[in-house]
Short mmCIF file of all heavy atoms in Angstrom, two decimals:
data_model
loop_
_atom_site.label_atom_id
_atom_site.label_comp_id
_atom_site.label_asym_id
_atom_site.label_seq_id
_atom_site.Cartn_x
_atom_site.Cartn_y
_atom_site.Cartn_z
N MET A 553 -40.12 23.25 15.48
CA MET A 553 -40.60 22.28 16.46
C MET A 553 -39.82 22.49 17.74
O MET A 553 -38.60 22.55 17.72
CB MET A 553 -40.39 20.87 15.93
CG MET A 553 -40.75 19.80 16.94
SD MET A 553 -40.43 18.13 16.36
CE MET A 553 -41.82 17.86 15.34
N GLY A 554 -40.50 22.61 18.86
CA GLY A 554 -39.84 22.81 20.13
C GLY A 554 -39.20 21.55 20.65
O GLY A 554 -39.52 20.44 20.24
N ARG A 555 -38.27 21.71 21.59
CA ARG A 555 -37.55 20.58 22.17
C ARG A 555 -38.49 19.57 22.81
O ARG A 555 -38.35 18.38 22.61
CB ARG A 555 -36.52 21.09 23.16
CG ARG A 555 -35.72 20.01 23.80
CD ARG A 555 -34.76 20.60 24.83
NE ARG A 555 -34.28 19.54 25.66
CZ ARG A 555 -33.04 19.12 25.65
NH1 ARG A 555 -32.17 19.69 24.86
NH2 ARG A 555 -32.66 18.15 26.45
N LEU A 556 -39.48 20.03 23.57
CA LEU A 556 -40.41 19.13 24.23
C LEU A 556 -41.18 18.29 23.21
O LEU A 556 -41.32 17.08 23.35
CB LEU A 556 -41.39 19.91 25.12
CG LEU A 556 -42.41 19.06 25.90
CD1 LEU A 556 -41.68 18.07 26.80
CD2 LEU A 556 -43.32 19.95 26.72
N THR A 557 -41.65 18.93 22.14
CA THR A 557 -42.38 18.20 21.10
C THR A 557 -41.48 17.17 20.45
O THR A 557 -41.90 16.04 20.19
CB THR A 557 -42.92 19.17 20.03
OG1 THR A 557 -43.68 20.18 20.68
CG2 THR A 557 -43.77 18.45 19.03
N MET A 558 -40.21 17.51 20.19
CA MET A 558 -39.29 16.57 19.58
C MET A 558 -39.03 15.40 20.52
O MET A 558 -38.97 14.25 20.09
CB MET A 558 -37.98 17.27 19.23
CG MET A 558 -37.04 16.42 18.42
SD MET A 558 -37.73 15.83 16.87
CE MET A 558 -37.95 17.36 16.00
N GLU A 559 -38.85 15.68 21.82
CA GLU A 559 -38.65 14.59 22.77
C GLU A 559 -39.87 13.68 22.83
O GLU A 559 -39.75 12.46 22.89
CB GLU A 559 -38.33 15.14 24.16
CG GLU A 559 -36.94 15.73 24.24
CD GLU A 559 -36.66 16.40 25.56
OE1 GLU A 559 -37.52 16.39 26.45
OE2 GLU A 559 -35.54 16.94 25.69
N MET A 560 -41.06 14.26 22.78
CA MET A 560 -42.28 13.45 22.78
C MET A 560 -42.35 12.62 21.50
O MET A 560 -42.67 11.43 21.54
CB MET A 560 -43.52 14.33 22.92
CG MET A 560 -43.65 14.97 24.28
SD MET A 560 -44.91 16.26 24.42
CE MET A 560 -46.24 15.69 23.43
N ALA A 561 -42.04 13.23 20.35
CA ALA A 561 -42.10 12.52 19.08
C ALA A 561 -41.14 11.34 19.06
O ALA A 561 -41.41 10.31 18.45
CB ALA A 561 -41.78 13.46 17.92
N SER A 562 -40.00 11.47 19.75
CA SER A 562 -38.99 10.43 19.70
C SER A 562 -39.43 9.13 20.38
O SER A 562 -38.85 8.09 20.13
CB SER A 562 -37.68 10.93 20.32
OG SER A 562 -37.76 10.97 21.72
N ILE A 563 -40.46 9.18 21.22
CA ILE A 563 -40.89 7.96 21.90
C ILE A 563 -42.22 7.42 21.37
O ILE A 563 -42.67 6.37 21.79
CB ILE A 563 -40.97 8.17 23.43
CG1 ILE A 563 -42.00 9.24 23.78
CG2 ILE A 563 -39.60 8.48 23.99
CD1 ILE A 563 -42.28 9.37 25.25
N LEU A 564 -42.84 8.11 20.45
CA LEU A 564 -44.13 7.68 19.92
C LEU A 564 -43.98 6.53 18.94
O LEU A 564 -42.90 6.31 18.39
CB LEU A 564 -44.81 8.86 19.23
CG LEU A 564 -45.25 10.00 20.14
CD1 LEU A 564 -45.67 11.20 19.31
CD2 LEU A 564 -46.34 9.56 21.07
N PRO A 565 -45.06 5.79 18.68
CA PRO A 565 -45.00 4.73 17.67
C PRO A 565 -44.56 5.28 16.32
O PRO A 565 -44.77 6.46 15.99
CB PRO A 565 -46.45 4.23 17.61
CG PRO A 565 -47.04 4.60 18.92
CD PRO A 565 -46.35 5.88 19.33
N LYS A 566 -43.95 4.42 15.51
CA LYS A 566 -43.32 4.83 14.24
C LYS A 566 -44.23 5.68 13.36
O LYS A 566 -43.83 6.74 12.89
CB LYS A 566 -42.87 3.59 13.47
CG LYS A 566 -42.27 3.91 12.12
CD LYS A 566 -41.92 2.64 11.36
CE LYS A 566 -41.59 2.94 9.93
NZ LYS A 566 -41.37 1.75 9.15
N LYS A 567 -45.46 5.24 13.10
CA LYS A 567 -46.35 5.96 12.18
C LYS A 567 -46.61 7.39 12.65
O LYS A 567 -46.52 8.33 11.88
CB LYS A 567 -47.68 5.21 12.06
CG LYS A 567 -48.07 4.90 10.67
CD LYS A 567 -49.38 4.15 10.63
CE LYS A 567 -49.46 3.46 9.30
NZ LYS A 567 -50.62 2.65 9.13
N ILE A 568 -46.90 7.55 13.92
CA ILE A 568 -47.18 8.87 14.48
C ILE A 568 -45.91 9.71 14.50
O ILE A 568 -45.93 10.89 14.14
CB ILE A 568 -47.80 8.75 15.89
CG1 ILE A 568 -49.15 8.03 15.80
CG2 ILE A 568 -47.93 10.11 16.55
CD1 ILE A 568 -49.74 7.64 17.11
N ARG A 569 -44.79 9.11 14.90
CA ARG A 569 -43.50 9.81 14.93
C ARG A 569 -43.17 10.37 13.55
O ARG A 569 -42.80 11.53 13.41
CB ARG A 569 -42.42 8.83 15.39
CG ARG A 569 -41.05 9.41 15.50
CD ARG A 569 -40.05 8.48 16.19
NE ARG A 569 -39.91 7.18 15.57
CZ ARG A 569 -40.35 6.03 16.08
NH1 ARG A 569 -40.98 6.01 17.23
NH2 ARG A 569 -40.15 4.88 15.45
N MET A 570 -43.34 9.56 12.51
CA MET A 570 -43.01 9.99 11.15
C MET A 570 -43.95 11.10 10.68
O MET A 570 -43.53 12.04 10.01
CB MET A 570 -43.03 8.81 10.19
CG MET A 570 -42.08 7.67 10.59
SD MET A 570 -40.40 8.18 10.86
CE MET A 570 -39.83 8.13 9.18
N LEU A 571 -45.22 11.02 11.05
CA LEU A 571 -46.18 12.07 10.68
C LEU A 571 -45.82 13.41 11.33
O LEU A 571 -45.85 14.45 10.68
CB LEU A 571 -47.59 11.67 11.06
CG LEU A 571 -48.27 10.62 10.18
CD1 LEU A 571 -49.58 10.16 10.80
CD2 LEU A 571 -48.50 11.18 8.79
N ILE A 572 -45.47 13.37 12.60
CA ILE A 572 -45.09 14.60 13.31
C ILE A 572 -43.85 15.21 12.68
O ILE A 572 -43.78 16.42 12.43
CB ILE A 572 -44.88 14.33 14.81
CG1 ILE A 572 -46.23 14.04 15.49
CG2 ILE A 572 -44.16 15.50 15.49
CD1 ILE A 572 -46.11 13.57 16.92
N LEU A 573 -42.86 14.37 12.39
CA LEU A 573 -41.62 14.88 11.79
C LEU A 573 -41.89 15.49 10.41
O LEU A 573 -41.40 16.57 10.09
CB LEU A 573 -40.58 13.77 11.70
CG LEU A 573 -40.01 13.31 13.03
CD1 LEU A 573 -39.18 12.05 12.85
CD2 LEU A 573 -39.20 14.41 13.68
N ALA A 574 -42.67 14.80 9.59
CA ALA A 574 -42.98 15.30 8.24
C ALA A 574 -43.74 16.62 8.31
O ALA A 574 -43.46 17.55 7.55
CB ALA A 574 -43.77 14.26 7.46
N LYS A 575 -44.69 16.71 9.24
CA LYS A 575 -45.47 17.93 9.39
C LYS A 575 -44.59 19.11 9.81
O LYS A 575 -44.89 20.26 9.51
CB LYS A 575 -46.59 17.72 10.40
CG LYS A 575 -47.53 18.88 10.53
CD LYS A 575 -48.71 18.55 11.41
CE LYS A 575 -49.58 19.75 11.57
NZ LYS A 575 -50.84 19.66 10.89
N ASN A 576 -43.47 18.81 10.47
CA ASN A 576 -42.58 19.86 10.94
C ASN A 576 -41.38 20.11 10.03
O ASN A 576 -40.46 20.82 10.40
CB ASN A 576 -42.11 19.55 12.36
CG ASN A 576 -43.20 19.85 13.37
OD1 ASN A 576 -43.40 21.00 13.74
ND2 ASN A 576 -43.94 18.84 13.76
N GLY A 577 -41.38 19.51 8.85
CA GLY A 577 -40.37 19.88 7.86
C GLY A 577 -39.40 18.81 7.43
O GLY A 577 -38.63 19.02 6.50
N VAL A 578 -39.35 17.66 8.11
CA VAL A 578 -38.46 16.60 7.67
C VAL A 578 -38.99 16.03 6.36
O VAL A 578 -40.18 15.78 6.22
CB VAL A 578 -38.34 15.47 8.72
CG1 VAL A 578 -37.49 14.32 8.20
CG2 VAL A 578 -37.76 16.01 10.02
N VAL A 579 -38.11 15.84 5.38
CA VAL A 579 -38.50 15.29 4.08
C VAL A 579 -38.12 13.80 4.07
O VAL A 579 -36.95 13.46 4.25
CB VAL A 579 -37.79 16.03 2.93
CG1 VAL A 579 -38.12 15.38 1.59
CG2 VAL A 579 -38.18 17.50 2.93
N PHE A 580 -39.12 12.95 3.88
CA PHE A 580 -38.92 11.51 3.87
C PHE A 580 -39.23 10.92 2.50
O PHE A 580 -40.22 11.30 1.87
CB PHE A 580 -39.89 10.81 4.84
CG PHE A 580 -39.62 11.08 6.28
CD1 PHE A 580 -40.40 11.97 6.99
CD2 PHE A 580 -38.58 10.43 6.93
CE1 PHE A 580 -40.16 12.22 8.32
CE2 PHE A 580 -38.33 10.67 8.27
CZ PHE A 580 -39.12 11.56 8.97
N GLY A 581 -38.43 9.96 2.07
CA GLY A 581 -38.76 9.16 0.90
C GLY A 581 -39.64 7.99 1.33
O GLY A 581 -40.00 7.86 2.51
N ASN A 582 -39.96 7.12 0.39
CA ASN A 582 -40.77 5.94 0.69
C ASN A 582 -40.00 4.94 1.54
O ASN A 582 -38.80 4.74 1.35
CB ASN A 582 -41.21 5.26 -0.62
CG ASN A 582 -42.13 6.14 -1.42
OD1 ASN A 582 -42.97 6.85 -0.88
ND2 ASN A 582 -41.95 6.12 -2.74
N ASN A 583 -40.71 4.32 2.47
CA ASN A 583 -40.17 3.23 3.28
C ASN A 583 -38.95 3.65 4.09
O ASN A 583 -38.00 2.88 4.25
CB ASN A 583 -39.83 2.01 2.40
CG ASN A 583 -39.68 0.75 3.22
OD1 ASN A 583 -40.37 0.56 4.21
ND2 ASN A 583 -38.77 -0.11 2.81
N SER A 584 -38.91 4.88 4.57
CA SER A 584 -37.82 5.36 5.41
C SER A 584 -38.32 5.55 6.83
O SER A 584 -39.50 5.83 7.05
CB SER A 584 -37.26 6.68 4.87
OG SER A 584 -36.61 6.46 3.65
N ALA A 585 -37.40 5.38 7.81
CA ALA A 585 -37.82 5.46 9.20
C ALA A 585 -36.70 5.92 10.11
O ALA A 585 -35.53 5.66 9.86
CB ALA A 585 -38.31 4.09 9.67
N ILE A 586 -37.10 6.60 11.18
CA ILE A 586 -36.21 6.96 12.27
C ILE A 586 -36.69 6.22 13.50
O ILE A 586 -37.86 6.31 13.88
CB ILE A 586 -36.23 8.48 12.54
CG1 ILE A 586 -35.73 9.25 11.33
CG2 ILE A 586 -35.40 8.81 13.77
CD1 ILE A 586 -35.78 10.76 11.50
N SER A 587 -35.78 5.48 14.14
CA SER A 587 -36.12 4.72 15.35
C SER A 587 -36.38 5.67 16.51
O SER A 587 -36.14 6.87 16.43
CB SER A 587 -34.98 3.78 15.72
OG SER A 587 -34.86 2.76 14.77
N ARG A 588 -36.79 5.08 17.60
CA ARG A 588 -37.03 5.86 18.82
C ARG A 588 -35.72 6.41 19.35
O ARG A 588 -34.65 5.99 18.98
CB ARG A 588 -37.67 4.98 19.88
CG ARG A 588 -39.05 4.52 19.49
CD ARG A 588 -39.58 3.54 20.51
NE ARG A 588 -40.79 2.92 19.99
CZ ARG A 588 -41.97 3.08 20.54
NH1 ARG A 588 -42.12 3.80 21.61
NH2 ARG A 588 -43.01 2.50 20.02
N ARG A 589 -35.84 7.33 20.29
CA ARG A 589 -34.70 7.96 20.95
C ARG A 589 -33.77 8.63 19.95
O ARG A 589 -32.68 8.16 19.67
CB ARG A 589 -33.90 6.96 21.78
CG ARG A 589 -34.49 6.58 23.07
CD ARG A 589 -33.52 5.88 24.04
NE ARG A 589 -32.47 5.07 23.43
CZ ARG A 589 -31.18 5.43 23.37
NH1 ARG A 589 -30.78 6.58 23.84
NH2 ARG A 589 -30.30 4.64 22.83
N PHE A 590 -34.17 9.73 19.40
CA PHE A 590 -33.31 10.50 18.50
C PHE A 590 -33.33 11.96 18.95
O PHE A 590 -34.16 12.35 19.76
CB PHE A 590 -33.79 10.39 17.04
CG PHE A 590 -35.14 11.00 16.83
CD1 PHE A 590 -35.28 12.34 16.51
CD2 PHE A 590 -36.28 10.23 16.96
CE1 PHE A 590 -36.54 12.91 16.34
CE2 PHE A 590 -37.53 10.78 16.79
CZ PHE A 590 -37.67 12.12 16.48
N TYR A 591 -32.40 12.74 18.41
CA TYR A 591 -32.36 14.16 18.68
C TYR A 591 -32.27 14.89 17.35
O TYR A 591 -31.48 14.52 16.48
CB TYR A 591 -31.15 14.52 19.55
CG TYR A 591 -30.97 16.00 19.73
CD1 TYR A 591 -31.64 16.68 20.74
CD2 TYR A 591 -30.15 16.74 18.88
CE1 TYR A 591 -31.50 18.05 20.91
CE2 TYR A 591 -30.00 18.11 19.04
CZ TYR A 591 -30.68 18.75 20.05
OH TYR A 591 -30.54 20.10 20.21
N LEU A 592 -33.10 15.89 17.19
CA LEU A 592 -33.10 16.71 15.97
C LEU A 592 -33.46 18.13 16.38
O LEU A 592 -34.56 18.38 16.86
CB LEU A 592 -34.12 16.15 14.97
CG LEU A 592 -34.39 16.94 13.69
CD1 LEU A 592 -33.12 17.08 12.87
CD2 LEU A 592 -35.47 16.26 12.88
N ASP A 593 -32.53 19.07 16.19
CA ASP A 593 -32.77 20.43 16.65
C ASP A 593 -33.40 21.34 15.61
O ASP A 593 -33.83 22.42 15.93
CB ASP A 593 -31.49 21.07 17.21
CG ASP A 593 -30.38 21.20 16.18
OD1 ASP A 593 -30.58 20.81 15.02
OD2 ASP A 593 -29.29 21.68 16.56
N ASN A 594 -33.45 20.90 14.34
CA ASN A 594 -34.01 21.74 13.28
C ASN A 594 -34.59 20.81 12.21
O ASN A 594 -33.87 20.41 11.30
CB ASN A 594 -32.92 22.64 12.71
CG ASN A 594 -33.40 23.53 11.60
OD1 ASN A 594 -34.53 23.42 11.12
ND2 ASN A 594 -32.53 24.43 11.15
N PRO A 595 -35.87 20.46 12.29
CA PRO A 595 -36.45 19.48 11.36
C PRO A 595 -36.32 19.85 9.89
O PRO A 595 -36.25 18.97 9.05
CB PRO A 595 -37.92 19.42 11.77
CG PRO A 595 -37.97 19.93 13.15
CD PRO A 595 -36.84 20.91 13.29
N GLN A 596 -36.25 21.15 9.57
CA GLN A 596 -36.15 21.55 8.17
C GLN A 596 -34.81 21.16 7.54
O GLN A 596 -34.66 21.20 6.33
CB GLN A 596 -36.37 23.06 8.01
CG GLN A 596 -37.79 23.51 8.27
CD GLN A 596 -38.12 23.62 9.75
OE1 GLN A 596 -37.24 23.79 10.59
NE2 GLN A 596 -39.39 23.48 10.08
N CYS A 597 -33.84 20.78 8.34
CA CYS A 597 -32.51 20.48 7.80
C CYS A 597 -32.36 19.02 7.36
O CYS A 597 -31.41 18.68 6.67
CB CYS A 597 -31.42 20.81 8.81
SG CYS A 597 -31.13 19.54 10.05
N LEU A 598 -33.29 18.14 7.72
CA LEU A 598 -33.12 16.71 7.45
C LEU A 598 -33.87 16.28 6.20
O LEU A 598 -35.06 16.51 6.06
CB LEU A 598 -33.60 15.89 8.65
CG LEU A 598 -33.41 14.38 8.56
CD1 LEU A 598 -31.95 14.01 8.34
CD2 LEU A 598 -33.94 13.72 9.82
N ARG A 599 -33.14 15.65 5.27
CA ARG A 599 -33.69 15.13 4.01
C ARG A 599 -33.34 13.66 3.91
O ARG A 599 -32.16 13.30 3.97
CB ARG A 599 -33.10 15.87 2.80
CG ARG A 599 -33.23 17.38 2.85
CD ARG A 599 -34.66 17.80 2.52
NE ARG A 599 -34.85 19.22 2.55
CZ ARG A 599 -35.37 19.89 3.57
NH1 ARG A 599 -35.71 19.26 4.66
NH2 ARG A 599 -35.56 21.19 3.51
N MET A 600 -34.36 12.80 3.77
CA MET A 600 -34.13 11.36 3.68
C MET A 600 -34.72 10.81 2.39
O MET A 600 -35.87 11.10 2.07
CB MET A 600 -34.78 10.65 4.87
CG MET A 600 -34.13 11.01 6.20
SD MET A 600 -35.01 10.37 7.64
CE MET A 600 -35.04 8.63 7.33
N GLY A 601 -33.93 10.02 1.66
CA GLY A 601 -34.39 9.38 0.43
C GLY A 601 -35.24 8.15 0.73
O GLY A 601 -35.76 7.98 1.85
N ASN A 602 -35.36 7.28 -0.23
CA ASN A 602 -36.14 6.04 -0.09
C ASN A 602 -35.33 4.97 0.62
O ASN A 602 -34.11 4.88 0.46
CB ASN A 602 -36.55 5.52 -1.48
CG ASN A 602 -37.43 6.49 -2.22
OD1 ASN A 602 -38.34 7.09 -1.65
ND2 ASN A 602 -37.16 6.68 -3.49
N ASN A 603 -36.03 4.14 1.40
CA ASN A 603 -35.43 2.98 2.07
C ASN A 603 -34.27 3.35 2.98
O ASN A 603 -33.26 2.66 3.03
CB ASN A 603 -34.97 1.94 1.05
CG ASN A 603 -36.10 1.51 0.16
OD1 ASN A 603 -37.18 1.16 0.63
ND2 ASN A 603 -35.89 1.57 -1.15
#
Side-chain angles (χ1 to χ4, degrees):
M553 175 183 280
R555 181 183 164 111
L556 181 59
T557 306
M558 188 58 65
E559 288 175 2
M560 290 169 38
S562 75
I563 62 172
L564 293 170
K566 177 183 168 186
K567 234 179 200 177
I568 296 170
R569 181 170 57 251
M570 303 307 276
L571 285 171
I572 290 172
L573 290 170
K575 185 173 177 110
N576 283 280
V578 176
V579 176
F580 291 103
N582 295 322
N583 198 35
S584 292
I586 297 178
S587 292
R588 295 174 191 244
R589 283 196 329 106
F590 64 89
Y591 174 86
L592 174 60
D593 62 0
N594 180 352
Q596 290 79 24
C597 82
L598 184 57
R599 306 284 180 261
M600 294 172 57
N602 298 317
N603 303 311

